[in-house]
Amino acid sequence: MAVNDADARVRIDGVGKRFEGGDGPVQALDDVSFAVAEGEFVCLVGPSGCGKTTLFRIIAGLEPPTTGSVSLDGERVDGPSTDLGLVFQEYHLFPWRTVAGNVGFGLERGDVPAETRERRVRDLLDLVGLDGFADSYPRDLSGGMKQRVALARALAVDPSLLLMDEPFGAVDAQTKKMLQDELLDIWAETGKTVLFVTHDVEEAVKLADRVVVMAKDPGRIREIVEVDIERPRSRSDEAFGDVYRRILDLIET
């Protein structure tokens, strides 16, 4: 699916990243360009060392590119923004805050009235399946529950783009499947634009509208694969297996 300027929520244009190493400069990314349409779910996959997380950090405004640019809704990304919701593999929850306190943290930094903030937090906890846990603390939660808190916190400020960096990488297989299904439900309900980094090809095929496949040395786009399979998707379906093998071949060759 080609994404034109009018449809693009986020656009990555010619992004390159060079680091200075002990043996000289290292080109981590080279001329990476693609766009994500409003409401689209795009996954980013590739071999270890291809620069997936570096690209994620550049898109998030956490570090600048050496060349090229990232724009969100037509505005250049020059640093962190509340218009970007971030979810990482590590939950980064405040242990001294309750679940509600963690989810509502971003809202406290704006001029959001307390009543509106509390209602928003309640709605989000219901959305991620944590109704009844508002007064719990992170230490009382399972890994899957902590990640749902992190997702609710990212959604609290109603960002234009939800960026997720291997968010389910630290949970067991059963919990991962549950979180994947819940994320797709939340995505369908909210209409959010999602860019999701993963090393798990099966996860990418299950979730994405398109999969951006990266190569390494230097990090670059190998191919963008459309996943034209009706949801919900099953690993046992022939079409799923065909796309899975195609992406795996691109990564391994």
Side-chain angles (χ1 to χ4, degrees):
M1 179 181 75
V3 181
N4 61 41
D5 288 336
D7 294 333
R9 175 66 82 181
V10 60
R11 184 171 293 279
I12 296 91
D13 287 313
V15 164
K17 184 67 178 182
R18 187 174 60 253
F19 295 100
E20 296 301 325
D23 297 324
V26 176
Q27 191 73 32
L29 295 170
D30 182 49
D31 195 25
V32 175
S33 298
F34 66 97
V36 182
E38 181 175 0
E40 191 178 16
F41 199 127
V42 171
C43 282
L44 194 65
V45 302
S48 297
C50 72
K52 297 188 297 295
T53 295
T54 298
L55 180 59
F56 175 94
R57 291 180 58 80
I58 291 171
I59 296 170
L62 299 175
E63 62 180 83
T66 305
T67 58
S69 64
V70 175
S71 58
L72 179 63
D73 295 330
E75 298 292 327
R76 187 182 180 109
V77 175
D78 289 320
S81 166
T82 55
D83 220 19
L84 292 162
L86 305 180
V87 183
F88 300 93
Q89 180 173 332
E90 298 299 326
Y91 317 115
H92 298 300
L93 302 180
F94 300 120
W96 59 88
R97 280 180 168 253
T98 63
V99 166
N102 272 282
V103 173
F105 175 72
L107 299 173
E108 295 172 6
R109 302 170 65 184
D111 298 324
V112 182
E115 184 177 342
T116 302
R117 186 169 65 241
E118 291 169 6
R119 183 170 60 251
R120 175 72 172 157
V121 169
R122 285 197 305 269
D123 289 345
L124 284 166
L125 290 179
D126 181 60
L127 179 68
V128 300
L130 289 176
D131 186 32
F133 290 90
D135 296 326
S136 299
Y137 286 86
R139 63 176 179 270
D140 302 319
L141 307 179
S142 67
M145 294 169 75
K146 290 176 183 176
Q147 197 57 282
R148 290 202 288 269
V149 175
L151 176 57
R153 181 178 59 187
L155 291 170
V157 295
D158 196 24
S160 293
L161 175 67
L162 187 62
L163 283 168
M164 310 184 76
D165 188 12
E166 302 199 31
F168 308 146
V171 298
D172 62 82
Q174 183 177 359
T175 302
K176 175 186 278 195
K177 181 183 182 304
M178 179 181 63
L179 290 172
Q180 290 168 347
D181 292 340
E182 290 176 356
L183 176 60
L184 286 173
D185 288 342
I186 291 167
W187 171 67
E189 184 167 339
T190 63
K192 289 296 178 188
T193 306
V194 180
L195 184 55
F196 187 107
V197 178
T198 179
H199 67 278
D200 185 340
V201 174
E202 183 174 337
E203 180 170 63
V205 178
K206 178 175 180 176
L207 296 176
D209 294 313
R210 290 184 300 148
V211 178
V212 177
V213 184
M214 295 186 67
K216 64 178 182 177
D217 300 326
R220 63 198 186 279
I221 293 179
R222 178 72 183 273
E223 188 174 320
I224 298 178
V225 178
E226 290 197 37
V227 188
D228 189 16
I229 305 172
E230 186 177 352
R231 295 181 177 92
R233 298 167 181 167
S234 171
R235 179 69 176 87
S236 60
D237 291 343
E238 182 178 355
F240 189 111
D242 290 344
V243 176
Y244 175 87
R245 286 187 292 273
R246 179 182 174 191
I247 294 172
L248 204 60
D249 286 346
L250 288 169
I251 292 173
E252 294 178 345
T253 57

